[in-house]
Coordinates of all heavy atoms in Angstrom, one line a residue:
H503 N -25.3 8.8 35.9 CA -24.4 9.6 35.1 C -25.0 10.0 33.8 O -25.2 11.1 33.4 CB -23.1 8.9 35.0 CG -22.1 9.6 34.1 ND1 -21.0 10.2 34.6 CD2 -22.0 9.9 32.8 CE1 -20.3 10.8 33.7 NE2 -20.9 10.5 32.6
E504 N -25.5 8.9 33.1 CA -26.1 9.1 31.8 C -27.4 9.9 31.9 O -27.7 10.7 31.0 CB -26.4 7.8 31.1 CG -25.1 7.0 30.8 CD -24.0 7.7 30.0 OE1 -24.4 8.6 29.2 OE2 -22.9 7.4 30.1
H507 N -26.6 13.5 32.0 CA -26.4 14.1 30.6 C -27.8 14.4 29.9 O -28.0 15.4 29.5 CB -25.6 13.1 29.7 CG -24.2 13.0 30.0 ND1 -23.3 14.0 30.1 CD2 -23.4 11.9 30.2 CE1 -22.1 13.7 30.4 NE2 -22.1 12.3 30.4
S558 N -22.2 18.2 29.1 CA -21.1 17.2 29.3 C -20.8 17.0 30.7 O -20.4 15.9 31.2 CB -19.9 17.5 28.5 OG -20.1 17.4 27.1
G561 N -23.2 14.7 33.7 CA -22.9 13.3 34.2 C -22.3 13.3 35.5 O -22.7 12.8 36.5
G575 N -15.9 7.9 35.9 CA -16.8 7.8 34.8 C -16.8 9.0 33.9 O -17.2 8.9 32.7
A576 N -16.4 10.1 34.4 CA -16.6 11.4 33.6 C -15.3 11.7 32.8 O -15.2 12.7 32.2 CB -16.9 12.5 34.5
S578 N -13.8 10.9 30.0 CA -13.8 11.3 28.6 C -14.6 12.5 28.4 O -14.3 13.3 27.5 CB -14.3 10.1 27.7 OG -15.6 9.8 28.1
D579 N -15.6 12.7 29.3 CA -16.4 14.0 29.2 C -15.4 15.2 29.4 O -15.4 16.1 28.7 CB -17.5 14.1 30.3 CG -18.5 13.0 30.0 OD1 -18.8 12.6 28.9 OD2 -19.1 12.6 31.1
R582 N -13.0 15.9 26.7 CA -13.6 16.7 25.6 C -13.8 18.2 25.9 O -13.5 19.0 25.1 CB -14.9 16.0 25.2 CG -15.5 16.4 23.9 CD -16.7 15.5 23.5 NE -17.7 15.4 24.7 CZ -18.0 14.2 25.2 NH1 -17.3 13.1 24.8 NH2 -18.8 14.2 26.2
K715 N -21.4 10.2 23.0 CA -20.6 10.5 24.1 C -20.5 9.2 24.9 O -21.4 8.8 25.6 CB -21.2 11.6 24.9 CG -20.9 12.8 24.1 CD -21.8 14.0 24.4 CE -21.5 15.1 23.3 NZ -22.2 16.2 23.4
A716 N -19.4 8.6 24.7 CA -19.2 7.3 25.4 C -18.5 7.6 26.7 O -17.6 8.5 26.7 CB -18.4 6.3 24.6
D717 N -18.8 6.9 27.7 CA -18.1 7.2 29.0 C -17.4 6.0 29.6 O -17.8 4.8 29.4 CB -19.1 7.6 30.1 CG -19.9 8.8 29.7 OD1 -19.2 9.8 29.4 OD2 -21.1 8.8 29.6
Ligands
ZN17 ZN1 -20.5 11.2 30.7

Side-chain angles (χ1 to χ4, degrees):
H503 179 106
E504 297 303 336
H507 285 310
S558 294
S578 60
D579 295 333
R582 188 171 52 242
K715 286 156 192 181
D717 298 305

